[in-house]
Amino acid sequence: MSSFGKSMRGRSVFVTGAYGMLGAWLVRALLDRGASVTVLRRDEVPASMLALDGLEPRCTVVRGDLLTPGLLERAIGEHECDTVFHLAAQTIVGTANRSPVPTFEANIRGTWLLMDACRTQDVRRVVVAASDKAYGAHEELPYREEFALQPRFPYDVSKAATDLIARSYWHTYGVPVATTRLANIYGGGDLNRSRLLPEAAAAVLRGRAPVIRSDGSPERDFLYVEDAAEAYLAICDALDADEDAAPGTTRARGEAFNAGGGRPHSVRSVIDAVVRVSGHDLVPDVRGSGTPSGEIDRQYVDSTKLRERTGWEPLVGLDDGIARTLDWYREHLDAVPA
């Protein structure tokens, strides 16, 4: 266990998006540190990591939709939550392009409802998931936090709005909140086959060639999921440290933080790594040309700000992360759609 999040023992923590991959790993980290965790469940998700790895019975489960009026205030208030991690969102780029209105409802309206519940319930620390996609396309790379947010596509726009809305609650109402702009997260527990790593893992473990929807040239920054969860805990620690900071000086409140794996990798090189680590002799099935519509060709982030303010840095390299990811899928292969 890292040094981050040790102050979580005995705290009451509310996590939205706990049934997603990163949310489940974050819940695991919080439980391991002795926190009391309340999660929001909209649907029955028997194949989620939270259920498959036995984490759900260790949590208090609030049933309902993020957008239900009054639900968030009730959940946070009745369970006396002093800490909130907001990860609930519609996260699939293709779905956002096909159905922008539900995406905006979940990602934008959901954020202001959550933030207003934190305001009325006097929550002491809030970390909200934005995304590196909020930056849009920039000629200069890597992305740094002072870059303008200039998104063009529905998902990217929704995450930029998430970021700005959340941080406005610090500047206007004093809610102690910070946002994350994380790179592409991968690891065990992601069962959405429209994403790169779940498809590749399911394919190689069944002896099938993994599919690449582009021509393999787009470059992304890949962050292993346990490193991502540690970034959330590091930011939460920094929010606590701000309580003792001199007036006008903060380390985290009202701030946005990048977190990435350190350097970009092409989609093809990642899939080649999956095949290599799996030990299979397979040739990827390349089905696209160029970058898929609605996606950015090349992006990666500079994590210097987070490292300097918290000491966080990624510890799991790509091959090691892929090996851990394949181990999880191998153990839960029956839950992965064929």
Side-chain angles (χ1 to χ4, degrees), residues 127-296:
V127 185
V128 172
S131 171
D132 63 340
K133 306 300 185 291
Y135 288 109
H138 284 262
E139 291 186 6
E140 182 182 352
L141 290 170
Y143 298 142
R144 295 189 299 276
E145 288 87 352
E146 66 268 22
F147 280 18
L149 303 183
Q150 50 188 37
R152 295 180 178 177
F153 304 111
Y155 174 73
D156 308 356
V157 168
S158 76
K159 298 311 282 186
T162 292
D163 193 298
L164 295 170
I165 289 167
R167 291 190 291 125
S168 77
Y169 271 76
W170 162 249
H171 296 291
T172 310
Y173 307 109
V175 177
V177 60
T179 62
T180 63
R181 299 173 184 171
L182 270 57
N184 281 43
I185 302 166
Y186 72 99
D190 187 354
L191 298 176
N192 191 307
R193 292 281 298 282
S194 71
R195 286 196 277 257
L196 185 69
L197 267 297
E199 151 59 24
V204 298
L205 291 176
R206 291 189 167 105
R208 175 176 60 78
V211 172
I212 299 177
R213 294 180 297 112
S214 66
D215 62 4
S217 65
E219 292 186 348
R220 296 288 184 268
D221 189 353
F222 289 88
L223 178 65
Y224 182 62
V225 66
E226 290 184 81
D227 281 333
E230 293 296 318
Y232 274 80
L233 296 175
I235 292 168
C236 195
D237 287 349
L239 289 169
D240 279 340
D242 283 346
E243 291 185 356
D244 300 321
T249 62
T250 63
R251 297 170 60 193
R253 296 183 181 191
E255 298 287 331
F257 292 94
N258 292 336
R263 66 185 183 90
H265 300 271
S266 71
V267 168
R268 179 58 188 259
S269 71
V270 171
I271 296 303
D272 287 343
V274 172
V275 173
R276 181 179 66 253
V277 172
S278 74
H280 291 283
D281 184 17
L282 297 166
V283 177
D285 178 6
V286 181
R287 297 185 180 179
S289 59
T291 303
S293 176
E295 297 190 18
I296 299 167

Side-chain angles (χ1 to χ4, degrees), residues 17-47:
Y19 289 82
M21 173 181 60
L22 176 53
W25 282 98
L26 179 60
V27 167
R28 181 194 292 276
L30 291 165
L31 291 170
D32 287 348
R33 287 159 174 80
S36 172
V37 180
T38 299
V39 300
L40 179 66
R41 185 177 76 188
R42 183 187 65 181
D43 302 319
E44 295 288 340
V45 195

